[in-house]
Amino acid sequence: MNERSDDRVIIFDTTLRDGEQAPGCSMTLREKLRVATALRDLRVDVIEAGFAAASPGDFESVQAIAEEIKGPAICSLARCHPDDVEKAAAAVKGAEKSRIHVFVATSEIHRNLKLQMAKEEIIRRAVESVKQAREHCDDVEFSAEDASRTDFGYLTEVVQAVIEAGASTVNIPDTVGYTVPGEFYDLFSHLKQNVPNVDDIVLSVHCHDDLGMAVANSLAAVNAGARQVECTINGIGERAGNCSLEEVVMALKTRENFFNIGTAIDTTRLYPTSRLVSSITGMHVPRNKAVVGENAFAHEAGIHQHGMLKDASTYEIMKPEDVGVSRSNLVLGKHSGRHAFRERVEQLGFDVSDDDLQRAFEDFKELADRKKEVFDGDIEAIIMNAGDAQSGPWTIDELQISAGSGSIASAAVRLKHNDDSVVDEAAVGDGPVEAAFKAIERGVGFEVQLRNFEVRSVTMGDDAQGEVTVTVEYNGHSYRGNGVSTDIVEAGALAYLEVINRIARRREAGTDTSAPPANKDAAII
Ligand code: KIV
Ligand code: ZN
C-alpha cells in the first residue's frame, strides 16, 4: 500500500542513503540494521535503506533491512536506468511495504553539462523507469534532481508526465541547497496550481543545507502543500548535509498552531536516535545544535535561570522530555546496583537486550572504579560502544606506554585473536598515540592510512572520559572507529582497534576489494 496522508506530513528518512553518502559516514550492515531499528521505533513512515545498484554491499543492506524491519515502507534509490530499477526491485522485494525511488536530473545545468540529454529524452527515461518500477511495486517515487534550478515550465511537464506514468510520490529536491523559502514556496504553489493531477499523489520535498536553509525551505514547501519531507537524523548528508529530521519534526509539533499539520513521529525517541547515529557515524552533534544538542535545554544566564525556576515556559518552547532528554540529575557511582543502572539506561531511551545490559553493566562497574561519578554521557558512551568494537577478531590484552617530554614515545601491546593466538609487538612513535597505532599495525600485519583523529570529552570534570574517533583509509575505503576511556591513549588504541577489526573481518570474509565504493553521480546516464 502506498504511504498516503492528507492530514499529516510523511517523514521519509534517508539517513541510510543520502546521510551515509557523506564522507566518513559509511556504516556496516550491522550498524545500518541498528539505525533502521531505531528509525522504526521513532515511527518514520519510509526508510530509504540505500541505493541497491551502487554496490553489492548496498544491495545486501537494502535487502536485509527490507526483510527484517516491519512497519515503515522500505525504499531503494535507483537511477532512471533499467538495471538500477531491477536491482532496487529485487532488493526491496522482501519488505512488508516496499517503495522504489527513481531519479533523473532536470535542470539545464545538469541536462547539458552532466547528462548531455535533451529535455524530451529525460522525460522519456523518467516515464519508462516509473512504468518499469510500477511493474514491481505500487509505491513508486520519482525525483527530479536539481529541481530547484529547473525552469518552472519544464518541471511542470516532467511532474505531469511521471504522475501519468504511475508515480505515487513526486519529490522536488533542492539538490545543491540553493533555494530560499519564499522561492521554494512559489515553486510548490506553482506545481499545486498547474499540474492537473497533482492532488492524486504526494508531493515531497528534499533539501540540502549548503546555505543553512534546508529546514526552513522544507517547511516552506509544507506550507505550500508538500506532504512528505525527506530528511536525515542530525541532518547528516552530502556536503553541508540534509534537512534535519529532529528539527523539522519539532518545528511542526511546536508550531502546530501555524502549520496545522503534524507527523506520526514518537518525538521522545529523537534524542536517543540522534545519539545512536552520532556514535555510529562519528559525526558529533554540536553542543548548540537545535533540539538534540547538549546545550539545547541548558540555561546559563542568571535572568533566564530565574525565569526557569518560576516557570519553564518562560524560556523553553519545547519540553526536554518531549524529545527524550530526561532532566534527572541522578549520578551513579560504584555502589549503584544493576537495578539502578537498568532504570537509568531505560530513562535515557535505550532498549537493550539482557545480554547487552549485562555487558554494559560490567563496563559500568569497571568505569565506576576509576571515576568518582558516572554521568548520563558516560552511560550513553558505554551503551553505544558495546557494539562492533567487541566483535573481534582482535582484542587488546595489554597495552603499555612510555612517553614524556624529551624522550622517545614507545608502546608495547599484546593482542589476542579469536582463534586463540597471541601476538606481542612494540613500536616507537612521535608520541604515545602514534607508537600505540604502529604497534597494533605490526601485531595484525597490515597498515592503514590515518586520515582523521578527534578527541572529545564525554562529560565534564577532570576525570571525564575521552572519546576518540579515528578515520582511516584502506584500499580506497574509509573506515571509522570509536573508543572511550578515562585514558585518551587507551581510547585512541580502542578506536584504532575497531577500524582494524572492521578491515580484518572484511579481509577474512574475502569481501575487501580495492575499488572505492560507488557513488550515485558516477552515473551511466
Ligand atoms: O539531493 C538529491 O537530489 C537527491 C536525489 C537523489 C533525491 O538526493
Ligand atoms: Zn539529496
Side-chain angles (χ1 to χ4, degrees):
M1 208 185 76
N2 295 352
E3 275 307 328
R4 292 292 311 271
S5 168
D6 296 325
D7 57 358
R8 69 180 163 85
V9 173
I10 292 167
I11 295 296
F12 174 113
D13 180 277
T14 183
T15 306
L16 295 172
R17 199 278 298 169
D18 224 347
E20 210 234 356
Q21 266 173 225
C25 283
S26 55
M27 302 175 214
T28 61
L29 173 57
R30 187 183 147 134
E31 289 170 339
K32 286 182 186 174
L33 280 164
R34 277 179 87 188
V35 172
T37 305
L39 293 172
R40 179 204 60 201
D41 295 346
L42 185 62
R43 296 208 211 112
V44 306
D45 300 284
V46 186
I47 296 177
E48 186 163 53
F51 179 8
S55 70
D58 276 54
F59 182 90
E60 194 194 346
S61 32
V62 177
Q63 193 175 43
I65 292 169
E67 275 162 16
E68 280 192 32
I69 306 294
K70 308 292 168 214
I74 308 298
C75 170
S76 171
L77 184 67
R79 291 164 298 189
C80 284
H81 188 279
D83 291 348
D84 270 33
V85 177
E86 289 307 309
K87 287 211 172 85
V92 297
K93 206 170 73 189
E96 183 184 63
K97 291 185 243 168
S98 54
R99 174 180 292 195
I100 300 173
H101 176 192
V102 295
F103 79 98
V104 65
T106 53
S107 67
E108 191 179 349
I109 299 181
H110 280 238
R111 284 192 322 255
N112 294 343
L113 303 178
K114 183 176 92 170
L115 302 176
Q116 282 142 355
M117 276 164 61
K119 284 180 169 177
E120 300 70 33
E121 171 68 355
I122 285 176
I123 295 192
R124 192 182 64 74
R125 289 268 194 134
V127 164
E128 273 175 10
S129 298
V130 169
K131 285 187 177 162
Q132 186 191 345
R134 276 302 302 263
E135 285 168 18
H136 298 282
C137 174
D138 285 348
D139 188 354
V140 172
E141 172 169 336
F142 171 80
S143 281
E145 191 186 13
D146 207 19
S148 57
R149 293 193 298 169
T150 304
D151 69 87
F152 279 27
Y154 179 56
L155 188 63
T156 310
E157 260 182 71
V158 175
V159 173
Q160 186 170 342
V162 294
I163 296 176
E164 282 164 7
S168 41
T169 299
V170 178
N171 182 38
I172 306 298
D174 180 27
T175 303
V176 290
Y178 178 74
T179 199
V180 295
E183 182 184 67
F184 221 30
Y185 178 92
D186 290 346
L187 173 56
F188 276 80
S189 304
H190 175 90
L191 293 174
K192 275 293 208 190
Q193 281 154 23
N194 292 283
V195 177
N197 35 11
V198 73
D199 291 331
D200 298 343
I201 55 108
V202 175
L203 211 48
S204 164
V205 59
H206 175 115
C207 292
H208 282 265
D209 209 30
D210 299 66
L211 291 172
M213 285 184 281
V215 173
N217 289 332
S218 303
L219 291 169
V222 168
N223 250 346
R227 286 295 174 265
Q228 173 175 285
V229 174
E230 302 199 352
C231 43
T232 60
I233 300 294
N234 299 334
I236 63 167
E238 289 266 10
R239 307 179 309 279
N242 286 58
C243 170
S244 137
L245 183 149
E246 55 283 357
E247 291 180 27
V248 85
V249 164
M250 287 314 288
L252 289 170
K253 182 175 163 93
T254 310
R255 298 306 314 274
E256 203 172 350
N257 60 342
F258 180 79
F259 291 106
N260 286 314
I261 192 145
T263 68
I265 294 293
D266 174 359
T267 62
T268 64
R269 306 294 314 161
L270 286 171
Y271 182 71
T273 312
S274 159
R275 294 294 300 138
L276 176 72
V277 170
S278 145
S279 132
I280 284 180
T281 59
M283 292 277 272
H284 297 306
V285 174
R287 278 181 193 273
N288 65 339
K289 163 94 165 62
V291 182
V292 289
E294 263 169 62
N295 287 358
F297 297 98
H299 301 272
E300 184 74 29
I303 192 164
H304 288 201
Q305 289 177 347
H306 178 69
M308 283 291 295
L309 288 174
K310 295 224 148 140
D311 191 315
S313 69
T314 50
Y315 287 100
E316 261 178 16
I317 58 167
M318 300 168 262
K319 291 202 213 90
E321 306 84 84
D322 287 350
V323 301
V325 173
S326 64
R327 278 198 204 265
S328 164
N329 288 324
L330 190 74
V331 175
L332 299 182
K334 65 176 175 187
H335 300 299
S336 308
R338 193 190 317 266
H339 183 70
F341 180 71
R342 175 187 282 279
E343 206 162 276
R344 194 72 201 122
V345 167
E346 282 168 3
Q347 277 166 4
L348 288 171
F350 297 107
D351 183 12
V352 285
S353 66
D354 287 348
D355 282 355
D356 284 351
L357 192 95
Q358 179 56 31
R359 261 198 301 273
F361 183 65
E362 283 159 18
D363 289 350
F364 158 75
K365 279 292 190 190
E366 205 179 289
L367 179 65
D369 267 344
R370 286 200 258 167
K371 210 170 171 282
K372 286 193 292 292
E373 295 171 317
V374 179
F375 297 101
D376 289 350
D378 294 315
I379 296 173
E380 284 173 7
I382 288 173
I383 300 284
M384 299 298 179
N385 286 284
D388 273 2
Q390 296 184 343
S391 35
W394 294 100
T395 42
I396 297 178
D397 197 32
E398 266 178 55
L399 174 67
Q400 278 175 21
I401 300 289
S402 152
S405 54
S407 69
I408 298 170
S410 63
V413 66
R414 169 164 296 173
L415 296 171
K416 269 194 181 160
H417 192 276
N418 57 15
D419 65 6
D420 287 338
S421 56
V422 175
V423 184
D424 290 328
E425 269 300 347
V428 292
D430 267 350
V433 172
E434 196 198 25
F437 288 3
K438 278 190 177 165
I440 291 173
E441 281 179 335
R442 281 192 185 161
V444 300
F446 57 88
E447 284 179 16
V448 301
Q449 261 72 51
L450 181 66
R451 293 285 177 238
N452 195 31
F453 179 94
E454 274 175 47
V455 191
R456 142 191 119 88
S457 152
V458 171
T459 55
M460 310 287 187
D462 47 20
D463 63 351
Q465 294 197 95
E467 179 176 34
V468 172
T469 305
V470 296
T471 311
V472 309
E473 214 172 291
Y474 179 79
N475 263 0
H477 293 267
S478 274
Y479 295 84
R480 202 191 41 258
N482 282 340
V484 180
S485 170
T486 46
D487 169 350
I488 61 161
V489 179
E490 184 180 280
L494 289 171
Y496 212 62
L497 194 78
E498 188 177 340
V499 290
I500 292 285
N501 274 331
R502 285 182 185 197
I503 297 166
R505 287 198 293 270
R506 285 183 73 137
R507 282 163 59 107
E508 287 176 10
T511 51
D512 176 56
T513 62
S514 51
N519 171 311
K520 82 175 166 67
D521 287 328
I524 305 159
I525 54 172

